[in-house]
Each structure stands twice: as structure tokens, then as C-alpha cells.
Amino acid sequence: SETTLVADTSKADTSKSEAKPNIEDPAIVVSYNRAYKTFTDQNYKETIRLMGEFLAQYPSHEYSDNATFWTGESYYQLKNFDQAYVEFEKVITKYPNGNKVPDAMLRSGICMLKLSKPEKAKSSFDQLIKKYPESVAAKKAKASRGDL
């Protein structure tokens, strides 16, 4: 029984490490690109729906942080700043090493400005500037926080 448990654990670890290479799995790429195209077409409600389907199907895929970010950006474009903030915070907390974190921190702060919460906005901007000082997002945050 103990040996089986060890074998099961190693199999689980192997499957997790094998999950990463399928980033180029055509079905996954097609699913993500189809959802992203709806964003570029400014069909934000459809983006939210399709990115949600993508995340439900591939919750730990390498594109998951991007899918969450574009969901937040879609809510932002629809002026649903509360829900956009929630999605941007998910990017920051669930995918701390993802490529969208600086942009999510910026957008999170801007959502707080839109929701008349300047102290929270300033805090988001300050964290972004401290953690990613050379990023384009940090430069935008400096400009945005200038009046706070």
C-alpha cells in the first residue's frame, strides 16, 4: 500500500511536468486564440464567456494568466470596474510569476481610481513601481499616481 502511494505520487508529479509542454497543443492554442480574437474584435461579453470556458477546461495552462487578464480587461472595457478589479487581482495572486502581473497591477490600480478609492489605487501603483521598476506598466503607474 505504501509503495503504491509512492508510485501514485510520482505518476502525479510526472503528469504535472508533462502538462507544460502541451502549450502548443493545437486544440488549446485554437481555443485561446479564438477567445482572444473576440477581444480584439471588441466583443467583450463573448471574450468573458470564451475565456471562462478556456479557464474551466485548462485551469493550469501557461495561457491561464493571460486568459484571466483578458477577462479582466473585458470587464474594464464594459466599465464593470468591480469585476475587472477581481480578475486583475486573480492574475496577481494566482499567477505571481506570469507575464501579465505588471499590467494587472496597473489595471488594478486604475480600477480603484475609477471606483473612487485613491488610497487603494496609490497602494497598487506603489507596489507595481517597487516590484517592477523598469516595466512600461510602472512608468504608466508613476504618471497615474502623480496626482494622488
Side-chain angles (χ1 to χ4, degrees), residues 111-127:
C111 286
M112 288 296 98
L113 283 179
K114 298 280 188 185
L115 294 167
S116 302
K117 297 179 181 177
E119 286 306 310
K120 281 192 170 188
K122 184 179 183 301
S123 175
S124 288
F125 295 148
D126 288 347
Q127 287 175 34

Side-chain angles (χ1 to χ4, degrees), residues 34-71:
R34 191 180 71 154
Y36 182 72
K37 174 136 179 27
T38 63
F39 180 83
T40 61
D41 291 343
Q42 300 180 357
N43 186 351
Y44 304 120
K45 289 180 181 176
E46 186 67 359
T47 303
I48 293 164
R49 187 182 73 75
L50 290 176
M51 289 297 183
E53 285 179 6
F54 178 87
L55 288 165
Q57 208 165 0
Y58 312 107
S60 59
H61 190 269
E62 284 194 36
Y63 292 172
S64 295
D65 61 333
N66 288 16
T68 305
F69 179 85
W70 295 118
T71 300

